[in-house]
């Protein structure tokens, strides 16, 4: 059964002729309204429009991620590493892969893109305060992943198994665990 163009533009009425119960336009919102940071928005702020909400782009040297704490930065690095290396499971097996393995299937360009993202992770680790010997090992992992990843198909299989980003986050986490708490 195909849908007519009129059905796409105007939803069908029920067979009984009554209006659907899914119409939420006339109902009042129940419960607090929460913004993306988890803070409650006052109802009077919504009555006056969105005057409280501003976006400031291009304000000098502003950081697009805001001022994150060290733990938040590490959590972000771990999340990106998991997305790159172990986000998905190959159906029917226990083999995990990430978008690094998928993007790497694009010859040369895919490996350049994933190597650039991996290098950004190393840069972030250095910004957190990782010493030169940790970042050197991290760069070595990225280099091995990038060079072997250029080889068609075999390099992609190596990318899936080597997991350079997870190794780098593990190196960073071990170093951080040895540091005294402030």
């Amino acid at each position: 059964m195909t849908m007519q163009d009129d059905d796409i533009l105007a939803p069908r009425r029920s067979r009984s002729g009554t209006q659907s119960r899914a119409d939420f336009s006339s109902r009042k919102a129940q419960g607090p309204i929460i913004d993306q940071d988890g803070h409650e928005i006052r109802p009077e702020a919504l009555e006056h429009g969105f005057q409280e909400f501003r976006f400031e782009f291009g304000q000098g040297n502003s950081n697009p991620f805001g001022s994150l704490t060290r733990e938040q930065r590490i959590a972000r690095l771990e999340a990106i590493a998991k997305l790159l290396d172990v986000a998905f499971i190959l159906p029917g097996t226990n083999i995990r892969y990430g978008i690094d393995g998928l993007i790497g299937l694009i010859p040369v360009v895919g490996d350049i893109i994933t190597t650039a993202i991996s290098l950004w992770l190393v840069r972030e680790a250095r910004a957190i305060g990782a010493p030169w010997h940790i970042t050197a090992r991290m760069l070595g992992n990225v280099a091995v992943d990038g060079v072997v990843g250029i080889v068609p198909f075999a390099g992609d299989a190596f990318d899936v198994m080597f997991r350079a980003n997870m190794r780098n986050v593990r190196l960073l986490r071990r170093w951080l665990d040895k540091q005294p708490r402030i």
Side-chain angles (χ1 to χ4, degrees), residues 21-100:
R21 284 192 257 171
D23 182 23
F24 297 107
S25 60
S26 62
R27 300 173 113 189
K28 284 282 198 185
Q30 296 178 356
I33 300 171
I34 307 295
D35 68 1
Q36 67 184 15
D37 296 325
H39 304 292
E40 185 175 344
I41 300 174
R42 298 183 322 273
E44 56 270 8
L46 294 175
E47 291 172 3
H48 295 70
F50 291 100
Q51 296 170 0
E52 272 187 35
F53 305 103
R54 280 183 271 161
F55 295 101
E56 298 175 3
F57 295 109
Q59 299 293 323
N61 294 331
S62 63
N63 183 357
F65 298 110
S67 55
L68 298 176
T69 66
R70 187 179 212 185
E71 285 301 316
Q72 289 172 329
R73 290 175 106 180
I74 294 166
R76 180 177 64 187
L77 291 178
E78 288 175 342
I80 292 171
K82 285 179 183 176
L83 178 66
L84 286 171
D85 290 341
V86 293
F88 312 108
I89 299 175
L90 193 63
T93 66
N94 285 332
I95 299 173
R96 298 187 70 93
Y97 65 98
I99 61 171
D100 186 2

Side-chain angles (χ1 to χ4, degrees), residues 152-171:
F153 300 114
D156 298 320
F158 179 79
D159 276 346
V160 169
M161 298 311 211
F162 186 65
R163 299 177 182 160
N165 300 302
M166 292 301 294
R167 287 174 186 252
N168 289 343
V169 168
R170 197 175 320 120
L171 276 171

Side-chain angles (χ1 to χ4, degrees), residues 126-146:
R126 185 70 182 149
I128 289 172
W132 69 270
H133 66 278
I134 297 294
T135 53
R137 286 184 65 188
M138 293 171 82
L139 285 171
N141 287 336
V142 172
V144 167
D145 189 39

